[in-house]
Amino acid sequence: MKVLIADDSQLLRERLRLELEKLNNVEQILEAKNSLEAKNYIFEDNPDLVILDIRMPGGNGLDLLENVREEKKEIKFIILSNYSYTQFKKKSLESGADYFFSKSEEFEMLIDTVKNIQA
């Protein structure tokens, strides 16, 4: 499976990369530090899974999700955010996210979910 990590935090991208590299079902990991890079990767590289932050330079992750979801129905989207409030989770799922996880409280759940996704 090809995974795109889209987050402006280099530290988070590195931590996620280290965890994802341990999974048997992850073959390639791409990284984007802003919404524009993420959009380019989505349309040029066709990842199977996108792990997307809500707030990034160059645009909102939820806006990006809404803009690409209709064309890219086959991609799984996971929102990983510090904004774990109910309204953000609800908006993320309404916008087309398959999953929503809190960076601070549910990081391990994200890894377990990725482990079980079949591309």
Side-chain angles (χ1 to χ4, degrees):
M1 168 170 52
K2 188 186 303 184
V3 178
L4 169 62
I5 303 167
D7 197 292
D8 59 328
S9 167
Q10 181 178 348
L11 191 62
L12 180 87
R13 289 193 317 269
E14 289 172 1
R15 182 175 175 214
L16 256 176
R17 175 181 282 281
L18 287 172
E19 292 300 320
L20 295 174
E21 286 175 342
K22 297 175 188 176
L23 302 180
N24 292 332
N25 62 333
V26 175
E27 297 167 0
Q28 184 179 6
I29 302 169
L30 308 166
E31 294 182 31
K33 60 183 177 287
N34 60 50
S35 292
L36 182 58
E37 283 183 5
K39 185 175 183 178
N40 289 339
Y41 276 123
I42 289 168
F43 283 100
E44 293 173 14
D45 293 284
N46 294 308
D48 302 296
L49 170 66
V50 176
I51 301 171
L52 187 60
D53 190 12
I54 290 178
R55 285 207 171 155
M56 291 184 291
N60 178 308
L62 294 180
D63 291 340
L64 173 63
L65 174 60
E66 288 176 351
N67 289 331
V68 302
R69 182 38 117 186
E70 196 60 36
E71 254 184 273
K72 297 292 186 176
K73 293 182 189 309
E74 71 282 1
I75 296 176
K76 297 281 188 205
F77 284 90
I78 296 176
I79 298 292
L80 180 63
S81 179
N82 281 322
Y83 302 98
S84 57
Y85 308 110
T86 304
Q87 67 267 26
F88 283 109
K89 182 174 185 173
K90 183 178 183 213
K91 177 66 174 160
S92 297
L93 297 173
E94 287 172 352
S95 297
D98 296 286
Y99 306 93
F100 179 98
F101 296 107
S102 163
K103 287 181 183 178
S104 59
E105 300 167 2
E106 299 174 315
F107 191 84
E108 291 304 318
M109 289 175 62
L110 169 112
I111 301 302
D112 288 341
T113 299
V114 174
K115 190 185 307 184
N116 292 313
I117 291 176
Q118 300 298 317

